[in-house]
Amino acid sequence: ALLDKSLHRVTIWASVLSCVPFVAYLLSVGNAASGLMLAFAVFTVLAYSVKGLRFKEKPFLDSLTSASHFVGPMIYGLALAGASLTDTAPLLLILGFTLWGVASHAFGAVQDVKADREAQISSIATVIGARATTRFAFACYAAAGALVAASGYPAAFAAVAAVPYLAIVWPHLNITDATCETANRGWKQFIKLNYLSGFIVTMITIWAAFL
């Protein structure tokens, strides 16, 4: 949107072609399971925006596809390392991370309800409204924390990272479509909060590796 239209095509081609050698390498060093996961991750990235698919404009699928952009690489890494994705702990973490991604996308869409409707762009928030979307995001964050808490030691400690997200969404639970833009304050806090959450998860991962 910020680039001159004459640069759009070359930007898209540069984005696609720059990924090719990395995708080829990851496929060559992986196994069948990781290869399938990588293919799925690449597909969801394309499907989110590519003309004819545009999952970003399909309510609920938009939030789920956005979540897959975070969770897909995680599952790829687990598959590459030979982890069993059906074991309870990895499965709970995958589901928890997915709900976090769904909540984050949904809450981010709240601030754009009026603008998206004026532009005739569909999203989870334009369909069910700002208030219902915010409450849906709150419930997803809470469920994500509960799933991580049930994942076992030491990963369960990462559940504490869900609490600040609940805190920033809480003030907006009674938001209306008319006041949707006030959610931008919470969104800005969310962006900063990701650094804290990433730090917590990283430290726990390093601790688990030492254990």
Side-chain angles (χ1 to χ4, degrees), residues 43-106:
F43 168 75
T44 59
V45 169
L46 294 172
Y48 190 72
S49 300
V50 167
K51 185 178 180 179
L53 293 173
R54 298 284 290 179
F55 286 4
K56 67 188 297 180
E57 292 187 36
K58 301 184 188 307
F60 291 97
L61 187 57
D62 55 353
S63 294
L64 188 60
T65 306
S66 177
S68 74
H69 299 164
F70 302 99
V71 183
M74 172 189 176
I75 300 176
Y76 168 79
L78 289 169
L80 187 64
S84 174
L85 301 181
T86 58
D87 287 350
T88 301
L91 189 58
L92 288 174
L93 293 174
I94 289 169
L95 291 174
F97 197 17
T98 299
L99 286 175
W100 174 88
V102 167
S104 299
H105 177 276

Side-chain angles (χ1 to χ4, degrees), residues 26-42:
L26 292 174
L27 286 172
S28 69
V29 299
N31 50 50
S34 66
L36 285 172
M37 192 57 242
L38 181 62
F40 174 75
V42 171

Side-chain angles (χ1 to χ4, degrees), residues 101-143:
V102 167
S104 299
H105 177 276
F107 184 58
V110 170
Q111 61 191 319
D112 298 322
V113 167
K114 288 195 295 187
D116 283 347
R117 283 179 177 162
E118 290 173 4
Q120 296 184 323
I121 296 174
S122 295
S123 73
I124 181 175
T126 62
V127 170
I128 66 174
R131 181 175 299 175
T133 304
T134 300
R135 293 181 177 183
F136 172 72
F138 186 87
C140 286
Y141 278 135

